[in-house]
C-alpha cells in the first residue's frame, strides 16, 4: 500500500480506500487499461507498480503477497504473473502510464487513463555521431610538431619538496587570515 495520507481518503476511510485500490488494480491487470479520476489513478500507480514487481519475481511468496492485496482475485493474479510479468521482464520500473483525458461530463471531475506499459524496452544507444565528430575535427587539423631540446631535470628530494609545498600553503593561509582581520576592522 502507498504511504497513508493525512486528511480525506478516496471516498471514505482507510479500509474503503484499500478495497477501492485493490479493485482498481485487479481491473487494470485484467483489462490492461482503465479510465478513472486523476486522483485515483495517481493513488493506484505505486500499488500497481509494486504488484508488477512481485509478478516479475514470480515465486510462491510473491504470488501469495499479491493475492492478499488483490483480495484473492485469482484471475487478476493469473494475468499478472503469467501474461504481464514476462512482457515487462526487461523493464526496470515505470510499468504504468497515466494520460489525462479531460473532465467528466457530469461533475467536471478531471479524468485520466492509467494503462500498463507493455511495449518492449529499447535501450538508449549512446550517440556515436556526437562523440565521433570532435575526434574527426581534431584528426583533420594536423598538429604542428616543434622539436625542442630535451631538458634534463635534476633529481629532486621528495621530502624537501613536500616540506616546501606545506610551508607555502601555510604562508597563504596566514595571509588570507590577515586580510580577513583587516576587512573586519574596517
Amino acid at each position: 500500500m502507498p504511504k497513508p495520507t493525512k486528511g480525506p481518503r478516496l471516498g471514505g476511510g482507510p479500509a474503503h480506500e484499500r478495497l477501492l485500490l485493490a479493485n482498481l488494480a485487479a481491473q487494470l491487470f485484467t483489462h490492461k487499461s482503465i479510465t478513472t479520476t486523476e486522483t485515483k489513478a495517481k493513488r493506484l500507480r505505486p500499488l500497481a507498480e509494486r504488484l508488477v514487481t512481485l509478478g516479475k519475481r514470480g515465486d510462491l511468496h510473491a504470488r501469495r503477497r499479491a493475492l492478499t492485496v488483490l483480495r484473492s482475485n485469482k484471475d487478476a493474479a493469473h494475468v499478472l504473473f503469467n501474461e504481464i510479468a514476462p512482457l515487462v521482464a526487461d523493464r526496470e520500473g515505470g510499468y504504468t502510464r497515466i494520460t489525462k483525458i479531460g473532465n467528466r461530463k457530469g461533475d467536471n471531475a478531471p479524468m485520466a487513463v492509467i494503462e500498463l506499459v507493455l511495449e518492449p524496452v529499447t535501450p538508449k544507444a549512446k550517440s556515436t555521431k556526437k562523440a565521433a565528430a570532435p575526434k574527426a575535427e581534431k584528426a583533420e587539423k594536423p598538429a604542428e610538431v616543434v622539436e625542442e631540446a630535451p631538458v634534463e631535470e635534476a633529481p629532486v628530494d621528495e621530502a624537501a619538496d613536500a616540506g616546501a609545498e606545506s610551508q607555502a600553503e601555510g604562508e597563504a593561509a596566514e595571509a588570507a587570515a590577515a586580510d580577513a582581520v583587516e576587512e573586519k576592522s574596517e
Side-chain angles (χ1 to χ4, degrees), residues 25 39 97:
T39 307
R97 175 187 301 134

Side-chain angles (χ1 to χ4, degrees), residues 112-177:
V113 173
I114 183 167
E115 59 189 342
L116 294 171
V117 180
L118 300 177
E119 295 90 24
V121 177
T122 56
K124 292 184 179 179
K126 293 183 179 178
S127 177
T128 57
K129 293 180 182 177
K130 291 181 181 176
K135 291 180 183 176
E137 290 175 7
K138 289 181 181 177
E140 291 174 4
K141 296 178 183 177
E144 295 180 18
V145 179
V146 178
E147 293 185 22
E148 295 180 10
V151 179
E152 293 183 21
E153 295 182 13
V156 178
D157 185 17
E158 293 179 11
D161 190 32
E165 288 177 6
S166 63
Q167 183 180 3
E169 290 174 2
E171 290 174 0
E174 288 176 9

Side-chain angles (χ1 to χ4, degrees), residues 12-23:
H16 182 257
E17 180 178 346
R18 204 170 17 257
L19 294 172
L20 189 131
L21 291 176
N23 286 333

Side-chain angles (χ1 to χ4, degrees), residues 46-115:
L47 178 67
E49 301 260 347
R50 191 170 300 120
L51 289 172
V52 172
T53 303
L54 288 174
K56 283 175 58 176
R57 272 187 31 203
D59 58 351
L60 181 62
H61 182 61
R63 187 176 293 264
R64 286 180 175 165
R65 284 182 59 193
L67 281 170
T68 59
V69 174
L70 295 174
R71 300 181 26 246
S72 300
N73 189 336
K74 292 181 182 179
D75 294 334
H78 176 76
V79 170
L80 172 63
F81 280 84
N82 296 337
E83 295 176 17
I84 296 171
L87 293 174
V88 296
D90 296 334
R91 190 173 290 275
E92 295 182 3
Y95 310 114
T96 58
R97 175 187 301 134
I98 297 176
T99 308
K100 297 178 182 180
I101 58 171
N103 294 343
R104 186 163 45 200
K105 187 175 183 181
D107 60 354
N108 207 29
M111 299 296 287
V113 173
I114 183 167
E115 59 189 342

